[in-house]
Amino acid sequence: MKNRAQVVIVGAGIVGASTAYHLAHSGWTDVVVLDQGPLFETGGSTSHAPGGVFQVNSSKTMTEFARYTTALYSELKSDEQPAWYPVGSLEVAWSEERLTDLRRKLGLARSWGVEADLLSPADALELIPLLSDRILGALHVPADGIARPIRAVEAMAADSASRGVEFHGHVEITGFDVQCGRVHGVQTSTGAIEAEHVLIATGIWAPATARLAGITVPLIPMQHQYAVTSPLEQLRDETAEVRHPVLRHQDRSMYFRQERDAYGIGAYRHEPQPLRADAIPSEHQNGRAPAEREFDDELFETPLKDARELLPSLRAVELRKKLNGIFSFTPDGMPIMGESQQVRGLWIAAAIWITHAGGVGKTMAEWMTSGETEWDTRECDIARFDPHALEEPYVFKRSMQQYREVYDIVHPLEPAAEPRNIRLTPFHDRHVRMGAHFADSGGWERPRWYAANEPDEPTVPLRTGWVAVEWSPAAAVEHLATRERAGVFDMSTFAKFEITGSGALEFLQDTAANQMDRPIGSVTYTSMLTPSGGIRCDLTVVRTSEERFLVMTGGSTGAYDRAWIEAHARERSDVRFNEVTEQLCCIGLWGPLSRQILSSIGSDDVSNAAFPYLSVRDLNVADIPVMAVRISYVGELGWELYCPAELGSRFWDIVWESAREHGAVVAGTTAQDSLRLEKGYRLWGADIHTEFNPYEAELGFAVDMNKTDFVGRGALAEIASRGVQHRLRCLTLDDSTRTVMGKEPIWLNDGVAGYVTSAGYGHSIGRGIAFGYLPTAGSRPGSAVEIDYFGERLPATVRSTPLFDPKNARLRS
């Protein structure tokens, strides 16, 4: 084993092997892969994984990972045995609720470009004759299938080794060489290895491995049982390793796969059985692999009964093989990937299932070699976790819930049950008094709407079904009152960063796409871009002095944006970065009467002449110092009003007393979202992210190509010269009573041309609104499209934006 390499990968399971394979194919061959176990059945999760691959996921990124993975596995063989069986998949419905959800899932498949169809019970039984005729239907994805993970690992390792990559088994990691916040190598049971980059791909052991470097990986290993039946009479003469589609019975939290003349059964229908990563052995014990535990027959009694109900043929057989394996769950159910913010050069790829390992390996290799990835990684990046989300009690409770809900029908707006009340704004008790309905975002408790605003008689169309979940007519009242009078919004959850120092301006000029050299007291909307021009951050920047800038971004993306900005700031000695999120609270005061309200609580001149749009002023309100920023995310006259958090409660009371006298309402995030949709304001993480550039997103107005240089400028110049093929379009539903949620496929000219990035109901215009990227040609304003909502094609029309106050007269008045 050599003592120096460009990259050391810790873990030779499916993720480590995939990353090594893709690094080698990208030209990085000075790679050493180590594992504590024997190669290549190392004893980790890869060694016992059943291998079922279902591509369709509510996350586009996860679906991209899976789609790429299936293509990769289909090319791999070990000892002439295939690593992939393209038998397809079935997800059956045992209830009407599940059948309805499968229609939604079919829409997701079409949105992400995966071929799928909803089958009748008879058609499903043709594919798996063992099924009960009680099923109500099934989602069929022909390109799904079953992987043989060890064969895939062996094939990728052989290919990598032929290009110069080294693999070594029976080598334990005992520590990391970390100096000045950067990794310089690893210590092992057989000696030290110097390295520029180290990847932790140890799966269920990742938290323990990472702890050796002083970092936290928020992951909980969970036990999970899988059993294989004795031979079935119906499969007596079966010669193929697998012929039937891989099967899910999500109404009972189960999955199945054929194993030649028998059937394998996996079940989640029990309370989670968590373990500590540091309690999992590194070697076989009592004849079991490290990632296995004793099988619990009692826990499997109900799943076996349910299995025999779905597949009646199983009533005649017993279980001949039983496995209690261990795999990983995270607080949000997503993988943990990316470079550590605390130890540069130390990378993580954990909580990856066989389904996604090929795509994850490709993405990690891109990230390490170029700093960018083809697919947006915001949902997977380890940088997404705020400090509270790394605390052990939080990780434990949220990961346990992820296990319980792994096959549940979970609405995207459904709030987490626990832990809650982690981060409270200074106004929280005021919200509670007004009957706020809360959801958590970035750990913050945010009001969606207020019971105080519930109408006696609904004035807007009532909703039913999916769009009625986590919605109230109070949100419509709040929307319309903001447009007609004023709304008071708690905006304290903004993440707020100070950029100071003699190099602050130059730093922002280099990293932001817009012109940042503006007078003191100016407000600038800008993006920060990736080198290829993708939108990495969506920011508001206030220049408060010659060498001080205040940067604001969304509370739910604060940790993620901080990682990007701070990493760039760290490269300069003349720039200081400081987060001040907790020090400042903020009230959004917006609406036609907002100037009257603000004037009534202070003596400062807030006229349009004295306080124009996109400017900032220091005000005094009852001896409370207030930084007033004239900007609005709802498209109305108004201000973001910042004050010290310790004075927040008193400030709220002063503002609210005057606002109430003027007929204003308190308003929550649901109204805020519908208001911004009417104005065409983008939502980062939905309408914009790294897969889209400012020209596609119609944000060219926030790019200054006259600047000498900034990150992404070269790419934007190339994009501008060749033009964009897709643009973000605004759609309104032709039926004024209908609304969609987001991620639905958009049909144009008899084909799916895009998907809904965000949607809601525009109460001021009386229409459902949706945004989505569509081909530039053929989607001009006035073009007819259809949005596929649970299998129903809803006619819609492409519109010019903004839909409300198109000349922005109200905003600038």
Side-chain angles (χ1 to χ4, degrees), residues 35-38 41-44 170-173 204-205 277-285 288-291 293:
D35 201 284
Q36 64 188 5
E41 290 197 46
T42 63
H170 299 293
V171 179
E172 290 196 35
I173 298 299
I204 56 178
W205 289 279
D278 53 14
I280 302 172
S282 59
E283 299 177 344
H284 280 65
Q285 293 188 346
R288 286 194 295 268
R293 283 292 183 273

Side-chain angles (χ1 to χ4, degrees), residues 16-311:
S18 176
T19 305
Y21 173 90
H22 287 93
L23 284 172
H25 277 255
S26 69
W28 281 27
T29 56
D30 185 13
V31 178
V32 174
V33 184
L34 309 174
D35 201 284
Q36 64 188 5
L39 302 178
F40 282 98
E41 290 197 46
T42 63
S45 301
T46 301
S47 301
H48 63 65
V53 173
F54 296 84
Q55 296 176 69
V56 181
N57 190 289
S58 61
S59 163
K60 178 178 178 292
T61 296
M62 295 295 279
T63 303
E64 296 285 11
F65 286 165
R67 183 161 51 179
Y68 176 87
T69 298
T70 63
L72 173 65
Y73 290 168
S74 68
E75 299 173 355
L76 301 177
K77 289 184 178 181
S78 179
D79 292 332
E80 296 306 312
Q81 295 297 307
W84 176 246
Y85 293 91
V87 293
S89 71
L90 285 183
E91 298 185 45
V92 299
W94 200 253
S95 64
E96 287 292 344
E97 183 184 18
R98 181 66 63 177
L99 185 62
T100 298
D101 193 61
L102 291 183
R103 294 190 184 99
R104 179 182 67 91
K105 202 162 188 179
L106 175 60
L108 288 171
R110 289 171 173 165
S111 289
W112 310 151
V114 176
E115 181 188 351
D117 201 4
L118 197 59
L119 302 185
S120 68
D123 288 338
L125 263 69
E126 284 192 17
L127 293 174
I128 302 182
L130 306 183
L131 280 169
S132 165
D133 59 7
R134 288 181 55 190
I135 65 169
L136 303 180
L139 180 70
H140 180 222
V141 180
D144 285 349
I146 295 174
R148 291 299 301 267
I150 297 300
R151 292 179 191 169
V153 171
E154 291 171 341
M156 289 188 289
D159 182 281
S160 303
S162 72
R163 299 169 189 268
V165 175
E166 293 186 11
F167 290 81
H168 299 279
H170 299 293
V171 179
E172 290 196 35
I173 298 299
T174 58
F176 294 86
D177 180 8
V178 178
Q179 303 171 33
C180 301
R182 185 165 194 87
V183 72
H184 289 270
V186 298
Q187 285 104 35
T188 79
S189 55
T190 59
I193 305 176
E194 295 179 18
E196 299 168 35
H197 301 271
V198 177
L199 170 66
I200 295 174
T202 52
I204 56 178
W205 289 279
T209 309
R211 202 172 296 123
L212 295 173
I215 66 172
T216 301
V217 172
L219 173 161
I220 299 293
M222 299 278 189
Q223 300 175 64
H224 175 67
Q225 301 201 137
Y226 179 82
V228 181
T229 69
S230 55
L232 290 159
E233 177 65 26
Q234 292 81 354
L235 300 175
R236 181 176 53 183
D237 298 322
E238 183 61 77
T239 58
E241 187 167 345
V242 58
R243 195 183 306 273
H244 291 176
V246 61
L247 173 65
R248 270 181 178 165
H249 182 19
Q250 292 171 291
D251 284 311
R252 296 293 184 268
S253 299
M254 303 185 72
Y255 63 90
F256 307 82
R257 59 152 293 183
Q258 179 189 358
E259 297 213 9
R260 205 175 293 277
D261 61 354
Y263 247 72
I265 307 166
Y268 295 94
R269 200 181 180 190
H270 57 79
E271 270 298 289
Q273 306 291 308
L275 295 167
R276 291 187 60 87
D278 53 14
I280 302 172
S282 59
E283 299 177 344
H284 280 65
Q285 293 188 346
N286 301 320
R288 286 194 295 268
E292 295 179 20
R293 283 292 183 273
E294 184 177 356
F295 192 87
D296 188 331
D297 288 292
E298 185 177 348
L299 277 184
F300 214 72
E301 287 178 358
T302 298
L304 183 57
K305 178 182 177 181
D306 292 334
R308 288 168 170 165
E309 186 177 39
L310 178 69
L311 302 168

